[in-house]
Amino acid sequence: MQKIFFDSRILDTACRERFCLSEDLMMENAAMSLEEKLHGKKSVLILCGGGNNGGDGYALARRIGAKKNPTVIVCVPEKSEMCILQKKRAEKSGVKFTALENAESILQNADFDAIVDCVFGSGFHGSLPEKISSLVKKINSMKSYRLACDIPSGLDAYGNAEGVFFNADETVTMGALKLSLFSDTAKEACGKISCTDLGVPRETFENSCPDNERTDFKCFMLEESDCKLPVRQNQNVNKGNFGHAAVVGGEKLGAAVIAASAALRFGAGLVTLVDFKTPHSSGEKISLDENGFPSPSIVPYEIMCSENFPQNCSSIAFGMGLGRNADISPVKYFMEQNPSLPVIMDADIFYHDEIKSILKKRSCENSPTVLTPHPKEFSVLLEKCGLGNFSVSETVKNRIELAKKFCTEFPGITLILKGACVLIAQKNDSDIEMFFNPHGCSALAKAGSGDVLSGLVCALLAQKYSALESAKTASLAHALASKKIKPDFSLTPFELIREIGRE
């Protein structure tokens, strides 16, 4: 895992004070990192703002001036002390500047191998000024390699954008990872993300100010190595050693079959599909043919079926395909009788009025519980829990604060907020921890993908993973498997299941 900071400017200040690093030296290191990314690029366009991001751009222009003769557009007049100094240095070294008013003619009459965005940094909010917005929009349509300094211009501190934003192929962030790099919008804006040192090792930089402003929540980026697959170490075992997962069926039985198949694939020793005689809207039950694809006959032979929960049940998954008017009293009663039993809830359960009382009880009893809503479902969940009425767009934009609000109300409950950049959140004791999984791809925007995730979580819960570890590993395995499907538009749930855990 890697630490994420809401505002690294506090770390900048602490580093200068503790290690006698000048702002000048740190800016030079930033410019050097940008320069390294331009290796092999012959014609370079640099967009400069008026703050320290602009200062990085002017320092970069000075460093590459003799070799590449960059074109520098002054998008915002220099304001900060370092930006003024760096522009003066670049000017004295022969770098020429162009006014923003001339940008359109420059783009029409020149081709650039690379375009570097050094306009706005992490303190930006609102929307880009009209002329800059128009320029960025044109640049985003070009085939040039696009590099962003620290964060792409147009994103605010939470990674939201009110209008046009710079669409980078790569973002070099300075000193430490920022929260603004891990929103759903940032997934589109940032491209590949790399973090560079500013004069001291990254770990030293991150620890330079332990008492920073992150007092109510801690953030981390999940790495591929954080995916702790349920690899079996012991040989003298049987299926009962790996848990018995129960997946509750409903109106759309196919969703439960997908989740059950995923649970079996991810290591659960046994999986039972529990169906309380619900009328099915999808007709016949579903199984897989010899190639692993669904065919309309019966539930796969390896998945057991029952009208009741198995006596040795180790975990429950329900909500997927349940139906918004379904009778959930049998599930609710079983959970109340078995409060320590781990549960994963998804989809239709969030529309039931009982959800608040269920979560309140499980939170108070410290019962392992994982929720996997997408933005629309999270919006409904917040309303049902009395935490406010928010549109889907508001839920996406404010998901950090809303996740904090939810976790504060229901401590111990693990939340997986699905999206382009998955957010996992949980409150334990006094701390809220958030984990971001940016490793998925748009292939997952397909019916059934969420049911697979629920099944993966259920399998890990059955194998005695904690709720939080189940959420992290299942989310990572889900995301990493999605990138193995080519072409990406062709992903189906059962293809995704087959790729889970494969090298």
Side-chain angles (χ1 to χ4, degrees), residues 376-393:
K376 170 62 175 174
E377 292 164 350
F378 190 42
S379 172
V380 172
L381 178 61
L382 291 167
E383 182 181 355
K384 292 292 183 182
C385 291
L387 297 176
N389 298 323
F390 304 93
S391 66
V392 175
S393 60

Side-chain angles (χ1 to χ4, degrees), residues 407-479:
C407 290
T408 300
E409 181 71 15
F410 301 105
I413 303 294
T414 303
L415 190 63
I416 304 178
L417 292 182
K418 293 180 285 194
C421 184
V422 176
L423 167 60
I424 300 169
Q426 185 186 75
K427 181 178 181 180
N428 286 314
D429 298 324
S430 60
D431 287 332
I432 296 175
E433 290 187 320
M434 295 189 182
F435 303 86
F436 292 85
N437 174 8
H439 301 290
C441 65
S442 57
L444 289 170
K446 187 74 71 78
S449 295
D451 303 321
V452 174
L453 176 61
S454 295
L456 301 181
V457 174
C458 189
L460 295 180
L461 291 172
Q463 294 170 84
K464 299 183 179 179
Y465 280 59
S466 70
L468 184 58
E469 286 304 318
S470 296
K472 291 191 289 187
T473 290
S475 177
L476 284 167
H478 189 249

Side-chain angles (χ1 to χ4, degrees), residues 40-44 111-115 143-146:
K41 308 297 182 184
K42 296 180 180 179
S43 56
V44 177
D111 292 323
F112 297 100
D113 294 331
I115 300 174
K143 295 182 179 180
S144 308
Y145 166 74
R146 296 186 293 274

Side-chain angles (χ1 to χ4, degrees), residues 1 4 52 121 132 169 257 316 323 336 408 452 492:
M1 282 183 289
I4 299 174
N52 282 2
I132 297 177
D169 295 299
V257 171
I316 300 174
E336 289 172 350
T408 300
V452 174
T492 66

Side-chain angles (χ1 to χ4, degrees), residues 18 55 92 112 125 135 226 503:
R18 288 188 62 184
K92 288 183 177 295
F112 297 100
H125 60 276
L135 172 61
D226 294 311
E503 296 293 333

Side-chain angles (χ1 to χ4, degrees), residues 340-353:
S340 63
L341 191 66
V343 174
I344 158 75
M345 295 186 240
D346 186 26
D348 288 343
I349 186 58
F350 303 132
Y351 290 83
H352 284 249
D353 292 335

